[in-house]
Amino acid sequence: MTFAGQSRIPWTGRRGPLVAEAVVLGALVVLDMVLAARAGPGRGELTSVAVEFAPGVGPVVAVLAVLRRRFPGHIAGLATAVSGLSLLGTAVTAALATTGARLPPQPGAAETVALALMVGACCHRLSPKAATAQAVLGGCAATLAPILRYGTGSPAALFAAGAAVAWGGALAGGLVLRDAEVRHRVEVLELRNAERLRLARELHDLVAHQITGIVVRVQAAHRVAERTGGDTTTFAELETAGAAALSAMRRLVGALRTGEEDLFVPPADLAAAVDRAVPDDERIHLDVSPGLAGLPVAPEVVTTAHRLLTESLTNIRRHAPDAAEVRVLVHHEPPGELRVEVVNDGAARPARRGGYGLLGMAERVAAVGGTVQAGPAEGRRWRVAARLPLEPG
């Protein structure tokens, strides 16, 4: 299944957060540079060498933090580099302080935000062990920097408290996103399992009907053979095997069916499926090919078309209650394909991509070898289009 169309809501795609982060980090880098310039030169002979070869790490870590979105598979390495550069800058400052030299004050707003972003990304994306290691490393880098760079006697060392708050917020945010992602995966898995169970129950209803027909025909042939004196052994065996298969299917699928669930009666043909799924509503314009009732089509495809129409129209009532026009199209396209399409207006904003109803629809269509697309169309419309084989291969 594919979900056509891109989100038109600003700042909801991948570029929105990327641009926002770049702007914020760039502004903080400029602010750090202005504050560092106003602080004046450092003290000691080694200061000029350190300033020449070990500039502030703020701009570098800011770039690395933004790059995590471009290279999501290298988050661990980028996080290690950010924390390592921050700790290196702190170590250089502390080492110079032991010799009596001191670098100019190094404001670290951009560095702190970059560390927080990397900690949040690690807690969200990495394995628990790797995330824990990166969170501890980032926390040490963020909280130690103000203390060792400014000195414990400087009021600026209190910035460590703000850095700790930022680190804690990033840690919590990353864990919340991680939990939400896990919950989403579980919900999707449960939805797919539920849809497959429903398919299994409907399979019983379809196959049981066909097996019953076979058993009835075998019984009739058995009675004819008895009257004409023919060999009845084979017919008896077929009759017994068919009855046993039918009983086994009923026991198996009966275990899958809940007590409060209504028995699903499959539509007899495509025309019946369309009639049952499409309500009598003046807003709905129905366009169907002639002769749907007599079209040879597999029972599971009939059921899938019925479920597809039902789900699409239910989504319209739920997400576009003010829709003034709904077009339903069911066409037979030779040699052996069925085209089902539902288009509605009143889609003020695109539906969430990959909603649970759409996922269930995709699971069902894929089971019969079909394809389905769902997404926004021109004129603030929403379109669901599927192609189903009349006889699944």
Side-chain angles (χ1 to χ4, degrees):
M1 175 178 184
T2 60
F3 298 96
Q6 297 294 332
S7 174
R8 299 180 183 177
I9 305 175
W11 308 102
T12 57
R14 292 184 177 182
R15 293 184 178 180
L18 175 64
V19 172
E21 286 179 6
V23 170
V24 170
L25 288 170
L28 292 177
V29 166
V30 172
L31 176 63
D32 287 346
M33 293 175 65
V34 171
L35 293 177
R38 293 180 59 182
R43 182 177 72 247
E45 297 179 356
L46 297 177
T47 301
S48 59
V49 178
V51 171
E52 183 71 22
F53 294 99
V57 296
V60 179
V61 297
V63 171
L64 293 177
V66 173
L67 285 177
R68 84 189 191 284
R69 292 189 176 273
R70 179 65 180 82
F71 303 100
H74 301 281
I75 288 179
L78 291 172
T80 302
V82 169
S83 299
L85 287 173
S86 178
L87 290 171
L88 177 62
T90 300
V92 169
T93 305
L96 290 175
T98 60
T99 64
R102 181 171 292 276
L103 285 173
Q106 298 174 308
E111 189 177 336
T112 300
V113 173
L115 284 166
L117 290 174
M118 295 308 302
V119 167
C122 290
C123 292
H124 180 199
R125 299 292 184 186
L126 299 185
S127 64
K129 290 184 178 180
T132 301
Q134 294 295 342
V136 172
L137 189 63
C140 292
T143 54
L144 290 178
I147 297 174
L148 297 181
R149 293 180 185 181
Y150 292 105
T152 55
S154 172
L158 295 177
F159 289 153
V165 171
W167 173 82
L171 184 70
L175 292 177
V176 168
L177 291 175
R178 186 189 193 95
D179 180 70
E181 193 170 273
V182 170
R183 289 177 181 270
H184 175 72
R185 287 200 298 266
V186 170
E187 289 173 352
V188 169
L189 181 60
E190 290 178 348
L191 172 74
R192 287 176 173 170
N193 288 337
E195 190 65 31
R196 287 166 183 169
L197 286 174
R198 187 162 63 174
L199 281 170
R201 292 190 290 265
E202 292 176 9
L203 177 64
H204 163 264
D205 299 329
L206 294 171
V207 177
H209 173 73
Q210 297 182 4
I211 292 180
T212 301
I214 294 173
V215 172
V216 169
R217 287 175 173 81
V218 170
Q219 288 175 341
H222 190 187
R223 301 300 177 266
V224 171
E226 286 179 343
R227 292 174 184 175
T228 58
D231 183 12
T232 61
T233 304
T234 302
F235 292 114
E237 292 176 352
L238 289 174
E239 183 179 345
T240 302
L246 188 59
S247 299
M249 285 195 63
R250 285 173 176 169
R251 289 193 300 270
L252 175 63
V253 183
L256 301 176
R257 197 181 297 277
T258 58
E260 60 273 4
E261 182 184 13
D262 294 333
L263 179 66
F264 174 73
V265 180
D269 50 51
L270 280 175
V274 174
D275 289 340
R276 285 175 52 177
V278 180
D280 186 11
D281 191 326
E282 62 180 8
R283 299 178 302 167
I284 300 179
H285 302 273
L286 185 59
D287 180 7
V288 299
S289 296
L292 281 184
L295 189 67
V297 56
E300 59 267 30
V301 175
V302 174
T303 304
T304 299
H306 172 262
R307 293 292 192 187
L308 183 67
L309 291 171
T310 302
E311 181 66 32
S312 299
L313 294 174
T314 300
N315 285 341
I316 292 173
R317 289 192 295 269
R318 184 179 303 162
H319 301 295
D322 299 328
E325 182 183 34
V326 180
R327 293 190 174 274
V328 178
L329 181 147
V330 182
H331 277 191
H332 170 224
E333 297 190 353
E337 195 171 58
L338 184 70
R339 177 185 170 199
V340 181
E341 187 170 309
V342 180
V343 182
N344 67 280
D345 62 2
R349 55 182 180 179
R352 179 171 61 87
R353 293 165 65 91
Y356 297 133
L358 297 179
L359 287 173
M361 191 187 303
E363 194 76 25
R364 178 174 292 272
V365 171
V368 297
T371 61
V372 60
Q373 292 182 325
E378 294 183 0
R380 293 173 60 186
R381 295 174 179 270
W382 185 262
R383 175 175 175 267
V384 177
R387 290 185 176 273
L388 308 172
L390 298 182
E391 293 292 339

